[in-house]
Structures are given as structure tokens and as C-alpha cells.
Amino acid sequence: MRSQAMFFQRRAGEALADPRLQKNFAGLKDKFVGMRARAVANYENDFEELRDAGQAIRDRVIDNLDVWLELFEEKATARGATVLWARDGSEICEHVIAIAQRHGVTKVTKSKSMLSEEAQLNAALAAAGIQPVETDLGEYILQIADNEPPSHIIAPAAHKNLDEVADLFAATHQQPRKTEIPALTREAREVLREHFLSADMGISGGNFLIAETGSVVLVTNEGNGRMVTTLPKVHVVITGIEKIVPTLADFATLMRLLPRSATGQEISNYVSVCTGTKGEADADGPEHTYFVLVDNGRAGLVGSEFQAMLRCIRCGACMNHCPVYQTVGGHAYGWVYPGPMGAVLTSLYTGIENALDLPHASTLCNQCGVVCPVKIPLPELLRKLRERQTERGLRPWSERLALSVWSRLAQRPALYALATKLGVRYLNWLASGRDRIAVLGVAPGWTAGRDFPAPQGRTFKELYSSRQEQKA
Amino acid sequence: MSSRDDILSRVRANLGVAAGDEARRAAARAVLETPAIGPRPSLPDDLAARFRMKAEAMASTVDRVATPAEVPAAVARYLAERGLPARAACWPALAGLDWAAAGIDVAARAANGDDPVGITGCFCAIAETGTLLLASGPQTAATTSLLPETHIAVVPVSRIVPAMEEGFALLRAEQGFDLPRAVNFVSGPSRTGDIEQTIVIGAHGPYRVHLILVGDA
Ligand code: SF4
């Protein structure tokens, strides 16, 4: 997906002006936040201890990522899968198209894969004459809505309401318009069932790769992950190189964190651990299994000050709890991943200079850091990105000038005291006796939609020294 | 340089390590040889009761009979109560039960898209979350628990284990170290919340999951 992250401010403004979108995202917040809180409270042990364990598992992998990748590759290959590697999105597309052509595939069913969004795989498949069919209900809705991008990593169509989905289905399926969510869901089930039964290849992402067994794990509620890994004769897994966990026991631990953090469930309906290919006598399963292990920026984070980001298990909790995401929605972030994790990943994977607003699209309130199941210090990473922007001279001249003036003043107490004293006098003059200022001369934008409070009395320094004098 | 070598060498350069470091590989292998079990929730002693409670919380329905011979009648009762067709595909291991006497037309084969009901056993069941552990194989088609709108599973009480960890240990004890092609953990009927975060039961997998516990109370 081509990044639109440079347009954050404009897109956020549009989202704020759209009452329908505001309503759709308010619902998302209410449901996900409450359900997670309940699931964490109901966990029959110390959830913090679980988060520590989750962090430790992910750190152990990333600290020795090369070794774990090799061990995974050995085991997966020994079980009959083919392991391929892709530096970037275009190599993903090349691999997948070559696999499809080798097996004479004309239609693929897809379970959710964010990497296929990174690679714009659907467009590449279509251009090669291969029909991609998204099967996660949310992704399917977006595909028939002329390939809209997802606005949430686990609820991709969160920005669409029932009416919009009903219109889309009626137009696409040529059936009478339905208005009940269960009826719409059944209609999608019936349309997609035909595709499941007729596609020759399934493409999925992977929630985890297990080095011990050479397996991929898919976590879904709809059952589409099971379909694409059971019915077609070819299964292609596309995952980032960071998705490895060492052992089945580690995977079991992470499964106590992921559904609780994502949807507030203790377990998702389907957790499929897929290993190798169909055995000779097996009743079902793919004859050919491929793993495409993708870098696309991940290797560059290893060993860097941003390495902690590679722990991410894509639960979505950080965006569900983010006041900025809740207000502007997912599309404003402009690339594949929204919310706090998206602000970090988009900056790092598409270039700090291509996402200037994103590290600032945060109040640093640390809600995200508190809920992240693998304890990624998201506000700290956002702050570091701001520092990198400043070091590279990527901030606007006015901001840099203001900060350098402030830093000079702050180093000279006498000058600082004088400047604040003058400032207070100026603001009091603007307020001309009232307690608020309607138009701030130096920053009219700030007062466009609100008043600026007038200073009440003297500066802090003046008050402090008079107190000291009284004491003496 | 191949993509593989390029990616791995950049990872190594960033970690400040060299290729072919046997000590680091040995350390990783040691992790695999003695996997550490992580923190877990504390479970009550009565695993069957816990399993039942959690399965129901995931929208499965649960029945209990004393012996396998009583299963066909329990299935017939369930299907009749809901007005569902008495026609099913089942795992071969269950074909020996007297389905005809209960008035159910059962075919011992993998389910296809037209079967209204799929009847399976399970490799074992997980008390912590009310989950079935289904292991694929020649006699245990994965489609039977997936394609029909109704999935009925026979769960011997003796096969209820505390958690995923014990499930994997049991698999290895009985089937060897390597995992079967698919290990599917199934917790209730399929669902989706993708339209307005409203949970709807019945997405791509079954609409109903009915569990029949077998064993003395
Ligand atoms: S950063 Fe943490 S909270 Fe956000 S998606 Fe990743 S794992 Fe979840």
C-alpha cells in the first residue's frame, strides 16, 4: 500500500468533520475497551506476570533472530514445507505469483494478512490474471468496496456501518437488500463458501511461527483461517521475520495474552497450528505449503533503539485505547497500520521523513503502553521518533526557531524571568480586564475554536521569591 | 546475494554477531530441549466442570452421558429438539455406534459442503478454555468439524486435560514428537464482529457446536 502518511493532518481533519465516522469509531472504543478490561480482571492469576512473560518470550527471539529463523527454516523444511524469503513487497508478489503459476492456480482465497497489504498483493495478483478473494468478513467488505484500505488491524471495516454494508452487499451480490447483521453475515458466508470450495490456493498471514515444530499458527473467530489451510491444494503463508516464537509452551503463554488483549476473549474460536503438508493417507490438507518470510524494514529495527517494536503481536489494544485513534479513526494514519503501533511502524518502515505528523499524533498519555500485552513502550518510541525528526532537521522552521529561543532563555534565569514577566503583562493587556482572550495575536490558530485563559496574577517565579521573602 | 542471505546477514550485522556461531545455536537448542512453561491461571480440581462452564461461555451446548452406547440417542435428542436433519458425516471411529437405532443416517467419511451435521471425537479437550483439540489425520478429517452447520463432538471425560501445554504433551506421548498436519483448537461455533462490532454466531464455520461428555459423573 502506498503511504499517505504525509497527509495525516488533512485526513484527520476530514475524519473529525464526518459525524458518521465519529459514531462508528465511538462504538469500537466502547466495545473493545470494556471487553478487554473484563477479560483481564477475570484472568485467574497475575496478568502483569503474564505480560512480563510475553515480553521475555518475544525478546528472546529478537535478540537471536538469525538463529531462530534458521531453526524454524530447518524444521519447516524437514516437515515438507518450502521456505522462501522476501526483502520487500515486490519480492512477496513475485514469489506468490510464481507459486500460483507453478500450480496452475487461477483463484486464491485469502485469510487476513497485513503483509499482503504492505505488498499490495491483491493488485499484483489481479494483474497476473489470478483472482484474489478476501474471506475475513471485514476484509471482504473492503474488497468489494473497491479495495478500500483497512482502518483497524483486527476490525478492518470498523469505519463502515450497517447501512453502508447493506448497500454494498445489495449492489455486489444482486440480492434483495438485507438490513439485519446476521442475514448479511449469512449472505457473505454463502457467497464465500463457493470460493472456499473452488479455490486452488489459500493465502494466510500467521499469528506465530513456532521454531520447535516448524508450524504456523492462525487465530480466527470466523473459521476462514481453517478453510484456507484445509481445502485448497496449495497454502502460502506470508509473515514477517519477527513472528517466530521458540516453543509450543511459549505459544501457549502468548495465547493467554493475545485474545484477551485483542477482543477481550479468553480464547478465540479457532486456533490452528498447521505443520507441513498433507500426509499420504490424510483426509484433507494442502499438498504444497510455502512460507514467505518477509523483511520489508524489520531487519533494520533489530539492534536499534526501536527493537522493542518487533515484539508486537498485532492485537490492536494500543489503537483501541488511544484517544487520538478513537477520534480520527484508522485511515488518517495513511498506511497499513494505524494507532500508536502504526505511528511507530509507518515511520520506521516507510521512512521517518515520509510520516512527519505521525509521531506527534499522540498525547503520550501512555494508555497504549499500559495495555500492550508485550509491554512495548510506545510513548517512548514515539518520543524517540520526534527526537530523530528534530536531529535530522525535519521539523518546520518555526518550531525549530521557537525551541531554540526557548532553550537559550531557559539556560539564563534572569533573561527567562524577564521574558515571562513581559509575556504575562502582554497577555493581561490582551485580555483587557477579562479572564479570557478571544484572539491570540501571535498564534491566532490556537484561539480559532476556543478562548485562551488570561494569566491570573504574577508569574510563578515572582510568587515563589515573594514567598521566600515572607518566610525569611 | 540471495534474499535469504541478505536478510540474515543484515540481522546479524545489526545484532553484532557472526554467522555460524555454534554457541548461540546451542543455547537456542537448549531452549527447545527443555521448554519453560509460562505463568498460567489457577484451575479448580474438577476439570470436567471447568470444561463445561468455559465451553458454555463460548456458546457451545453441553450434554453428558455415562457410556458411548448412549451417544446416538443423545445426538438424536439434540437434533430433534432443534428441528435439525438427522443426517450426518462422522469420523470412522464413531461409525460402530448404533446410529440406525437412534434414527440417524450417518456416513463414515469426511464431510463435504452438503452435510448438515458433522460428528467427531476429539484428541483431547482443554479445561482452561472449554476447547476441543482436534488433530488431523487419515481417520480424523478436519472438514467434519468445519463445513457442516452443526458440529457435534464426543468428548470422553477421561480426555479432559488442564491446558494447551498438557494437550501438546499428550499428543507427543501418543503420536510422536512431530505435530500432525493440523492441530485445531475449537472453542464453540464460528462468529464474527466485523459489522459494527456486533457479535454474530455463525460465520464461515459451524453455527452450532454441541458437546457430549462421556463418562461417569
Ligand atoms: S503494539 Fe502492543 S498493543 Fe499495539 S498491536 Fe502491538 S502488541 Fe498489541
Side-chain angles (χ1 to χ4, degrees):
Chain A
M1 185 175 157
R2 174 154 305 133
S3 173
Q4 303 287 320
M6 282 306 269
F7 307 116
F8 178 83
Q9 291 206 13
R10 198 192 72 217
R11 293 165 69 111
E14 287 165 4
L16 286 170
D18 183 344
R20 182 189 46 88
L21 206 62
Q22 291 293 310
K23 216 169 137 234
N24 296 354
F25 278 101
L28 182 88
K29 169 184 100 180
D30 290 346
K31 288 188 177 146
F32 279 149
V33 170
M35 290 192 297
R36 177 196 173 275
R38 217 170 314 133
V40 169
N42 289 342
Y43 176 67
E44 296 112 324
N45 212 327
D46 183 356
F47 197 72
E48 284 309 299
E49 184 191 13
L50 200 55
R51 288 175 76 220
D52 287 333
Q55 167 178 354
I57 290 166
R58 300 294 298 134
D59 280 344
R60 183 186 302 144
V61 169
I62 313 291
D63 286 342
N64 292 285
L65 186 57
D66 56 325
V67 172
W68 288 111
L69 282 164
E70 285 177 341
L71 290 175
F72 172 79
E73 182 184 40
E74 281 164 26
K75 192 66 199 178
T77 309
R79 290 302 311 273
T82 304
V83 178
L84 304 167
W85 302 69
R87 290 185 184 92
D88 54 26
S90 65
E91 290 194 357
I92 297 177
C93 297
E94 281 166 30
H95 280 312
V96 175
I97 289 168
I99 295 166
Q101 287 169 343
R102 183 173 322 139
H103 297 289
V105 169
T106 53
K107 174 159 75 182
V108 301
T109 41
K110 294 180 69 203
S111 170
K112 200 160 59 173
S113 155
M114 299 307 284
L115 268 158
S116 110
E117 305 276 346
E118 287 185 38
Q120 295 182 279
L121 179 62
N122 285 2
L125 283 170
I130 302 155
Q131 182 191 359
V133 181
E134 294 290 350
T135 65
D136 173 88
L137 179 59
E139 293 280 356
Y140 175 70
I141 291 168
L142 299 182
Q143 187 177 30
I144 62 175
D146 203 13
N147 299 300
E148 267 180 36
S151 59
H152 189 286
I153 60 172
I154 63 162
H159 58 285
K160 290 226 174 296
N161 67 17
L162 173 58
D163 268 349
E164 298 171 272
V165 176
D167 289 344
L168 262 176
F169 276 27
T172 310
H173 300 154
Q174 315 281 327
Q175 294 194 25
R177 187 176 186 279
K178 303 186 175 59
T179 49
E180 302 284 319
I181 295 176
L184 288 164
T185 304
R186 183 175 269 278
E187 185 172 309
R189 171 193 170 100
E190 280 160 12
V191 169
L192 289 168
R193 183 58 76 91
E194 294 302 313
H195 290 303
F196 282 128
L197 293 171
S198 57
D200 293 315
M201 183 162 124
I203 295 179
S204 71
N207 292 87
F208 304 106
L209 301 174
I210 304 175
E212 182 183 12
T213 54
S215 316
V216 60
V217 180
L218 298 184
V219 180
T220 77
N221 280 316
E222 297 183 4
N224 57 326
R226 288 194 64 192
M227 293 280 184
V228 304
T229 59
T230 305
L231 300 173
K233 67 177 192 223
V234 184
H235 175 206
V236 182
V237 182
I238 309 174
T239 69
I241 51 173
E242 84 284 16
K243 283 294 181 84
I244 296 195
V245 300
T247 65
L248 289 171
D250 293 334
F251 151 66
T253 300
L254 290 167
M255 277 313 297
R256 295 191 174 98
L257 285 164
L258 176 60
R260 285 186 174 85
S261 304
T263 49
Q265 290 170 288
E266 286 180 29
I267 184 86
S268 305
N269 287 88
Y270 299 110
V271 181
S272 300
V273 184
C274 303
T275 314
T277 53
K278 174 180 188 287
E280 238 163 68
D282 273 359
D284 38 40
E287 290 156 30
H288 310 276
T289 300
Y290 296 87
F291 288 94
V292 181
L293 304 182
V294 186
D295 172 9
N296 213 28
R298 288 154 178 81
L301 269 56
V302 174
S304 78
E305 59 186 332
F306 299 106
Q307 176 174 308
M309 197 60 228
L310 292 175
R311 286 182 212 145
C312 176
I313 58 171
R314 304 288 191 267
C315 72
C318 55
M319 60 199 73
N320 294 338
H321 291 76
C322 175
V324 177
Y325 176 91
Q326 286 162 5
T327 316
V328 302
H331 285 161
Y333 293 80
W335 195 54
V336 179
Y337 305 101
M341 58 82 88
V344 176
L345 284 179
T346 305
S347 297
L348 295 172
Y349 289 175
T350 71
I352 290 179
E353 65 284 1
N354 297 319
L356 290 181
D357 288 330
L358 295 192
H360 303 268
S362 163
T363 64
L364 302 185
C365 70
N366 197 30
Q367 271 297 305
C368 50
V370 171
V371 296
C372 177
V374 286
K375 295 199 159 176
I376 299 173
L378 289 155
E380 192 182 317
L381 300 183
L382 290 167
R383 197 176 42 72
K384 282 185 179 148
L385 282 167
R386 294 180 184 182
E387 286 169 21
R388 296 300 87 79
Q389 287 186 352
T390 310
E391 278 165 22
R392 289 175 52 185
L394 293 169
R395 298 307 305 159
W397 68 267
S398 52
E399 182 181 311
R400 277 183 286 148
L401 177 70
L403 282 175
S404 84
V405 169
W406 184 85
S407 85
R408 270 156 207 272
L409 277 176
Q411 287 169 44
R412 292 169 185 75
L415 260 183
Y416 188 87
L418 180 66
T420 48
K421 199 166 153 183
L422 288 175
V424 165
R425 303 290 180 276
Y426 168 69
L427 290 172
N428 276 326
W429 173 76
L430 272 184
S432 57
R434 282 164 297 133
D435 63 351
R436 40 195 59 249
I437 301 166
V439 181
L440 202 56
V442 286
W446 207 95
T447 44
R450 58 191 159 182
D451 288 342
F452 189 88
Q456 304 295 312
R458 293 174 292 167
T459 70
F460 173 77
K461 283 192 76 145
E462 289 169 331
L463 282 174
Y464 186 77
S465 35
S466 72
R467 285 261 173 96
Q468 293 299 99
E469 276 163 25
Q470 277 168 21
K471 265 196 203 161
Chain B
M1 205 192 295
S2 72
S3 304
R4 175 188 186 277
D5 295 347
D6 183 22
I7 293 169
L8 286 175
S9 68
R10 274 184 292 119
V11 168
R12 288 194 191 103
N14 289 341
L15 286 172
V17 297
D21 182 341
E22 275 313 312
R24 290 172 64 242
R25 281 180 73 89
R29 285 195 191 284
V31 169
L32 296 187
E33 267 148 36
T34 45
I37 301 285
R40 307 159 39 135
S42 36
L43 298 186
D45 291 337
D46 187 347
L47 292 183
R50 162 78 180 205
F51 173 80
R52 181 173 191 144
M53 178 186 86
K54 289 294 172 181
E56 286 170 346
M58 289 299 286
S60 295
T61 49
V62 185
D63 194 359
R64 184 157 184 169
V65 297
T67 64
E70 295 166 54
V71 167
V75 170
R77 207 162 50 235
Y78 170 82
L79 294 175
E81 272 166 16
R82 284 166 180 74
L84 296 167
R87 188 160 54 80
C90 83
W91 282 1
L94 298 167
L97 297 174
D98 194 353
W99 298 102
I104 308 172
D105 176 10
V106 165
R109 54 163 172 75
N112 57 47
D114 300 324
D115 292 307
V117 179
I119 304 176
T120 72
C122 63
F123 176 78
C124 67
I126 311 288
E128 180 181 336
T129 47
T131 301
L132 299 170
L133 190 166
L134 307 177
S136 73
Q139 305 295 315
T140 52
T143 49
T144 310
S145 61
L146 181 63
L147 295 177
E149 291 199 1
T150 302
H151 171 208
I152 298 176
V154 179
V155 183
V157 170
S158 59
R159 300 291 289 184
I160 300 177
V161 299
M164 267 191 188
E165 284 87 343
E166 285 77 16
F168 286 126
L170 195 59
L171 254 180
R172 285 181 160 170
E174 296 182 1
Q175 298 196 0
F177 183 84
D178 280 344
L179 291 182
R181 203 273 310 163
V183 175
N184 284 302
F185 293 92
V186 175
S187 311
S190 64
R191 72 187 69 195
T192 179
D194 274 357
I195 304 177
E196 296 192 347
Q197 283 69 58
T198 301
I199 305 296
V200 175
I201 298 282
H204 295 306
Y207 281 82
R208 290 165 288 273
V209 173
H210 183 60
L211 308 175
I212 301 178
L213 299 180
V214 181
D216 290 327

